[in-house]
Amino acid sequence: MEYTNLLLEKNGAVAVLTINRPKALNALNSDTLSELSTVLDELGRDSSVKVVILTGSGEKAFIAGADISQMKDFSPMEGRRFAQLGHATFRKLELLPQPVIAAVNGFALGGGCELAMACDIRLASENAKFGQPEVTLGLTAGFGGTQRLPRLVGTGLASELLFTGDVIDVQEAYRIGLVNHVYPLATLMEETLKLAKRMAGRAPVAVQLSKSAIQRGSNMDLDSAQAYEAEVFGLTFSTKDQIEGCTAFVEKRKPIFEGR
Ligand code: CAA
């Protein structure tokens, strides 16, 4: 399918999805969110895709937030619908069967920071900057920032960022656990692909079930989450890849996984 504000490329088992509105620093308007929702359905159905990388077009921004020029004249109902569209789309991303890595190549502000947080893993370039500057616009974070940021970095640090709108550099983002690794901009995509390919080489069903256990389990109490983990663990014994993985270990050879 053709998209106006997105680019989708396949690199073997890795899909690279780029938000492509460089003139607006990839700001998310409702058309872009709708396209994102559609492409996620497409990716979720594509069993040849084992890992997804999400990035922004150009060398300056991952995503500079929700589109301020669109939001400027919203009525309260339009504001609520926009937040709901963001929530539904980002949740779809979070629950996509395949892991998603954010390659944060510059500004990740407001909705951009929120989108990065809905990804499973965040890698970033040295020029990346993070923040939730909504309060500087008279807004609150509206695409899950008040919920995912405290879960990722703790309530105290999240409150400071959400109440001040301060923008932090990548070293601070790394220090507080918002990003896993920092690379020069020139090598960010190469390093992200390396990580994606390492993950794509593992047993796909086991990787997807691990993601499901993390995402579903993190919203459950420990006993329910462990019960879910036990179900997921048991399910792996129905796969050919489990037999192949364990047999290969015993036979001291590399496993060949089929994704079944
Ligand atoms: N929405 C719409 N357009 C945006 C945008 C946004 N979030 N961010 C940048 N742009 C546009 C600018 O208007 C500008 O367009 P023109 O060339 O047509 O004037 C273009 O992108 C380039 O931006 P700047 O000239 O501002 O570039 P800069 O290098 O001087 O500054 C920046 C870069 C610091 C990221 C600055 O653009 C900025 O502060 N952007 C807004 C960041 C922000 O506040 N994001 C939060 C939005 S609210 C939100 O996201 C709510 C939510 O949770 C749902």
Side-chain angles (χ1 to χ4, degrees):
M1 194 170 151
E2 285 290 304
Y3 297 99
T4 308
N5 300 320
L6 301 177
L7 301 172
L8 179 61
E9 292 168 90
K10 304 263 178 75
N11 186 322
V14 179
V16 181
L17 180 58
T18 306
I19 308 290
N20 185 35
R21 296 186 72 214
K23 282 189 182 145
L25 301 185
N26 307 316
L28 298 172
N29 57 10
S30 40
D31 287 348
T32 308
L33 288 171
S34 299
E35 286 196 351
L36 185 56
S37 179
T38 305
V39 81
L40 290 173
D41 289 334
E42 190 186 323
L43 288 168
R45 282 192 302 265
D46 188 342
S47 59
S48 72
V49 172
K50 303 289 188 268
V51 180
V52 177
I53 295 173
L54 179 64
T55 193
S57 191
E59 300 205 329
K60 193 166 166 183
F62 172 67
I63 292 156
D67 193 311
I68 299 168
S69 47
Q70 184 182 9
M71 287 186 297
K72 189 170 68 65
D73 301 316
F74 271 174
S75 67
M77 291 310 285
E78 286 170 331
R80 187 168 78 166
R81 270 200 297 276
F82 192 54
Q84 288 167 340
L85 175 62
H87 290 156
T89 307
F90 289 15
R91 188 70 180 137
K92 194 184 274 188
L93 175 76
E94 206 163 46
L95 295 179
L96 194 77
Q98 302 95 329
V100 184
I101 308 172
V104 181
N105 56 324
F107 289 108
L109 301 179
C113 186
E114 291 168 305
L115 184 55
M117 290 191 291
C119 297
D120 299 292
I121 292 169
R122 284 152 295 284
L123 309 186
S125 55
E126 287 166 344
N127 64 323
K129 291 199 178 351
F130 294 79
Q132 297 289 157
E134 287 85 352
V135 290
T136 68
L137 298 163
L139 301 169
T140 62
F143 291 165
T146 62
Q147 304 309 308
R148 289 194 181 91
L149 192 56
R151 284 166 167 81
L152 266 173
V153 306
T155 310
L157 283 168
S159 299
E160 186 176 332
L161 288 169
L162 286 156
F163 299 167
T164 60
D166 284 352
V167 173
I168 57 171
D169 66 19
V170 79
Q171 289 309 331
E172 179 64 358
Y174 176 72
R175 191 187 72 79
I176 65 176
L178 202 49
V179 303
N180 289 22
H181 304 284
V182 181
Y183 300 106
L185 180 60
T187 58
L188 174 66
M189 196 40 81
E190 181 187 324
E191 295 293 344
T192 310
L193 271 168
K194 259 193 232 166
L195 175 64
K197 287 189 172 170
R198 210 156 71 242
M199 286 163 30
R202 306 304 187 218
V205 176
V207 171
Q208 293 190 8
L209 289 174
S210 299
K211 170 166 175 169
S212 176
I214 292 168
Q215 290 298 345
R216 302 274 182 198
S218 61
N219 293 316
M220 296 177 190
D221 64 85
L222 185 63
D223 288 338
S224 308
Q226 290 202 138
Y228 184 62
E229 187 190 68
E231 295 304 319
V232 154
F233 182 69
L235 199 56
T236 60
F237 292 89
S238 68
T239 64
K240 283 195 165 177
D241 285 348
Q242 175 274 321
I243 298 169
E244 168 64 6
C246 294
T247 306
F249 177 82
V250 172
E251 292 176 355
K252 300 190 187 304
R253 62 174 173 82
K254 280 199 163 196
I256 301 165
F257 293 124
E258 294 176 28
R260 290 192 290 148

